[in-house]
Amino acid sequence: MSAHDKPDIRRHMERLTAEGVDVVRVTYPDLIGTDRARDVLVDHLPAACEHGLAFCRAVYHTTPQGDVVPVAGGLDAGLPDVTVRPDLSTLIALPWEPGVATCLGEVTDPATGAPAPESPRDLLRTVLSRCAEQGLRPIVGPELEYFLLEQTAAGWRRHPETTGAVYTAGLRADPSNHLLRTLRHLRDLGIGVITGNHEFDGGQYEINLTHSDALDAADRSFRFKAAVKELARRDGLLATFMAKPFGDAGGSGFHLHLSCEDAEGRNAFDDPAGAHGLSAVARHAIAGIVAHAPALAALLNPTVNSYKRFGPDTLAPWLIDWGPDNRSAMVRIPPERGAGARLELRLGDASANPYLAVAATLAAALLGIRAGEEPPPPLEGYGYDTARSAMLPTDLSAALDALEADTDLADLLGKDFTTSYLTYKRNEVERFQRHVTDWEFTEYAYHL
């Protein structure tokens, strides 16, 4: 920290003290998008900014159950540190936690001072720098769905289990007013929340965020997911962004709306004279996403459970296709043009790490733009016809193989990151394949 930074930190401390805040929660995303954090007393904020907070690098390689996967640079290197410094430009008080403010953390390797190799936020920055070289500034609008659950003696169930209340608001589908309380808290958190509603299935909700610069959109999506889960815990409930938590219900999506501005600030995807009102840049971006879709699935559908969300008539992508204002397509082109011209990638599910989902989508679009590719003919009518379009990978293992084979995408994301991600996720597949499920016991134990 240079000397001229100290007055700025002091001003932040004075403001926080005046607001009754005595703790700053410094958070950052791990490899799967879970928030890792440490609470710092305000008096110690200068030291945290100057020297950083030490975390074990292997937190990036730790499973949801707390086991450390043997990814290079972790166990094999003796479990070294990474350094996390508060990004005070993201500092804001937590509306539901009196006396606590929160900010994002910048993660570096203390040995080199460079970003940590697995840092999702820095991976996105790297891809954005490649977009800038092309004269493009990506704009992203995230849409995320989740289920709210309550625990009973029999296990977790939807809260509430009301059916048929599709696209509604109010007590009919939300008797505890979860959505209203959550919307207001998120508004006060300043992460650009605009609307919310009960979704298709019982206990399922969707909250929409504003469009903004890609890094800001990923930051807000990350903070959104963490906040929703924390607010549910305060009510004794569980908010889950798991792709498909129930066999008899649909899944939860993470749709990304993407456009780009050119050097003059104009929407580079709009062209009234172009096919479908889209510019060549937009068509090339669509072509890139379609071409690299199998590899994208590894990052936008990142769990074993993710692939149970796919299938015919699910309104979740099953095939690799695109179409104007067609919700059965993997890439939908909403009807707005002019400043609103954009594509909507419907591939991702809510379990995806926002930084990796945005970075991978931009990388695929950029590869298409660089290559000047044209997309295949658009989907007409209802999709899910394997005679017309190729299938996406049907499980995580196949998606990981597709990512490894897609050397152009892997090179743009970075070989070190890709290797770490593949190692981590293949370990997840191996652990699942060894696990005996309830279905297997029910199916076989009595009769065999």
Side-chain angles (χ1 to χ4, degrees):
M1 181 180 67
S2 60
H4 67 268
D5 293 320
K6 293 180 180 178
D8 184 56
I9 295 171
R10 185 59 56 186
R11 282 192 295 272
H12 281 293
M13 293 174 64
E14 290 171 354
R15 176 175 65 84
L16 292 172
T17 301
E19 294 174 357
V21 172
D22 63 347
V23 170
V24 174
R25 183 164 298 160
V26 183
T27 67
Y28 64 98
D30 66 7
L31 204 59
I32 61 175
T34 299
D35 54 310
R36 305 289 176 171
R38 185 168 298 164
D39 285 343
V40 179
L41 291 170
V42 166
D43 290 345
H44 293 272
L45 192 58
C49 292
E50 182 171 5
H51 303 294
L53 306 169
F55 285 81
C56 179
R57 179 180 168 185
V59 71
Y60 284 118
H61 317 147
T62 302
T63 73
Q65 299 304 311
D67 300 315
V68 179
V69 178
V71 175
L75 286 170
D76 65 318
L79 300 172
D81 275 349
V82 291
T83 300
V84 180
R85 289 183 172 83
D87 178 356
L88 297 183
S89 70
T90 66
L91 187 65
I92 190 168
L94 281 177
W96 58 87
E97 192 87 37
V100 180
T102 185
C103 70
L104 299 175
E106 300 282 15
V107 187
T108 58
D109 181 341
T112 64
E118 295 93 348
S119 170
R121 202 172 182 227
D122 288 290
L123 173 65
L124 177 53
R125 283 180 170 138
T126 298
V127 175
L128 288 172
S129 69
R130 303 287 87 81
C131 293
E133 292 170 0
Q134 202 72 32
L136 296 173
R137 174 175 166 260
I139 305 295
V140 170
E143 293 181 0
L144 280 149
E145 298 168 338
Y146 64 95
F147 277 90
L148 189 67
L149 311 179
E150 60 180 305
Q151 193 165 29
T152 70
W156 292 100
R157 71 179 183 189
R158 284 157 276 197
H159 179 84
E161 294 187 307
T162 307
T163 58
V166 183
Y167 299 146
T168 61
L171 299 180
R172 175 158 58 119
D174 184 20
S176 66
N177 256 335
H178 156 80
L179 183 62
L180 275 181
R181 287 197 309 278
T182 301
L183 277 175
R184 287 168 174 154
H185 281 313
L186 296 177
R187 173 199 62 198
D188 295 341
L189 187 60
I191 58 172
V193 166
I194 49 176
T195 63
N197 59 268
H198 185 269
E199 251 295 334
F200 199 89
D201 288 296
Q204 188 182 39
Y205 300 87
E206 176 175 284
I207 294 178
N208 300 131
L209 305 174
T210 56
H211 294 232
S212 70
D213 290 346
L215 180 61
D216 177 69
D219 283 341
R220 292 184 295 110
S221 299
F222 166 66
R223 300 178 93 163
F224 165 80
K225 292 177 72 173
V228 167
K229 288 183 281 188
E230 189 75 356
L231 289 168
R233 293 184 191 108
R234 286 173 58 87
D235 291 338
L237 302 170
L238 172 67
T240 181
F241 291 86
M242 181 178 175
K244 189 177 173 69
F246 299 101
D248 63 348
S252 291
F254 183 4
H255 298 167
L256 290 175
H257 291 252
L258 170 64
S259 62
C260 287
E261 291 184 352
D262 62 19
E264 285 72 42
R266 296 172 301 205
N267 189 328
F269 282 9
D270 181 58
D271 182 0
H276 308 288
L278 299 174
S279 69
V281 171
R283 298 195 307 274
H284 300 334
I286 294 167
I289 291 171
V290 168
H292 297 279
L296 287 180
L299 294 150
L300 279 81
N301 310 108
T303 71
V304 169
N305 174 258
S306 294
Y307 297 83
K308 297 179 180 180
R309 170 176 164 263
F310 291 161
D313 302 318
T314 60
L315 289 182
W318 185 46
L319 306 179
I320 302 170
D321 49 20
W322 73 282
D325 201 12
N326 192 328
R327 282 182 170 82
S328 65
M330 185 189 77
V331 179
R332 169 181 172 255
I333 310 302
E336 294 88 350
R337 294 296 181 267
R342 64 191 187 278
L343 63 84
E344 177 192 11
L345 179 59
R346 299 172 62 83
L347 172 62
D349 67 66
S351 68
N353 181 329
Y355 296 97
L356 302 188
V358 174
T361 301
L362 295 181
L366 184 59
L367 288 169
I369 292 168
R370 285 177 174 175
E373 300 169 344
E374 289 291 332
L379 172 67
E380 295 181 1
Y382 196 50
Y384 306 114
D385 181 355
T386 56
R388 292 193 286 175
S389 303
M391 288 179 60
L392 286 159
T394 57
D395 57 45
L396 180 58
S397 184
L400 294 172
D401 289 344
L403 176 59
E404 183 175 34
D406 193 333
T407 54
D408 290 339
L409 186 68
D411 286 348
L412 192 50
L413 295 175
K415 291 181 179 179
D416 289 343
F417 165 80
T418 304
T419 298
S420 294
Y421 186 82
L422 289 171
T423 301
Y424 180 88
K425 282 294 173 179
R426 281 181 170 143
N427 175 272
E428 180 177 325
V429 173
E430 291 166 3
R431 286 185 287 115
F432 176 74
Q433 289 173 340
R434 293 194 300 268
H435 180 72
V436 178
T437 66
D438 292 344
W439 184 92
E440 291 168 279
F441 188 89
T442 301
E443 184 78 3
Y444 305 126
Y446 186 82
H447 299 285
L448 300 183

